[in-house]
Amino acid sequence: MASSQAKISAPNDVSLRSLIKSGVSKRTDFPLRPSAMALLVIDIQHELTKIDEGSNAYKDAVSFPQMITNTKRLVEAVRTNRCNQDWDQGSEIIFTYLESLTENSRDVSLDYKLSGPLANLPSPVNPATFIPGIAPISGIEISLPKTS
């Protein structure tokens, strides 16, 4: 069977990387398995989306909004996939976000404390806020606060 026609699935004890043949394998040879994948959303939260007036205009005008749009599409696609599967067969969405673990931010690194606005991370008394459409569903999706 030709490579483009064969669907390859790795047994549990074989790495996917070992099955890839350079110059021969195609992306379609390795279908995604929703039960074995996760979408990791890192630090996409309101507190980190403020436009930095000294930053590159292209990043703020084009790149950043496109990243938000693409992330929303990915989150929606994974949620739709999960709804169409048995609960234990769907993909996971894992959100990590910056939030001090203490009220006085003593756990925040010196680098962040010296970085101006990042010194005032959300905290247990002032929790992180997420961008609409890119927020964890409480009790359904995994959300992990982290500090610097």
Side-chain angles (χ1 to χ4, degrees):
M1 199 179 248
S3 173
S4 62
Q5 296 173 344
K7 298 295 182 197
I8 301 170
S9 63
N12 291 337
D13 60 339
V14 176
S15 75
L16 185 61
R17 178 175 281 177
S18 70
L19 299 174
I20 297 172
K21 307 287 187 258
S22 181
V24 176
S25 298
K26 295 182 177 29
R27 175 64 193 98
T28 55
D29 292 340
F30 305 95
L32 295 176
R33 295 184 327 227
S35 63
M37 62 177 270
L39 173 63
L40 178 59
V41 180
I42 302 172
D43 296 348
I44 299 182
Q45 64 194 80
H46 179 73
E47 294 82 8
L48 300 178
T49 60
K50 296 178 180 84
I51 293 174
D52 178 3
E53 296 193 16
S55 69
N56 181 325
Y58 173 78
K59 177 189 80 172
D60 293 332
V62 177
S63 188
F64 182 78
Q66 188 62 46
M67 183 269 303
I68 295 296
T69 299
N70 289 341
T71 303
K72 284 180 183 179
R73 288 176 53 213
L74 283 168
V75 168
E76 289 169 9
V78 173
R79 286 176 176 158
T80 298
N81 175 62
R82 187 174 51 218
C83 289
N84 293 333
Q85 303 287 326
D86 289 334
W87 180 252
D88 62 344
Q89 295 298 309
S91 306
E92 290 289 346
I93 303 177
I94 303 168
F95 293 84
T96 65
Y97 56 95
L98 287 175
E99 184 174 280
S100 173
L101 301 176
T102 60
E103 290 180 23
N104 66 2
S105 296
R106 69 180 179 274
D107 57 313
V108 175
S109 73
L110 178 60
D111 184 47
Y112 270 52
K113 289 176 181 175
L114 296 173
S115 297
L118 290 176
N120 299 314
L121 289 180
S123 67
V125 294
N126 182 28
T129 54
F130 295 93
I131 296 170
I134 311 177
I137 298 172
S138 182
I140 303 294
E141 294 165 339
I142 300 166
S143 60
L144 303 168
K146 61 185 181 62
T147 60
S148 57

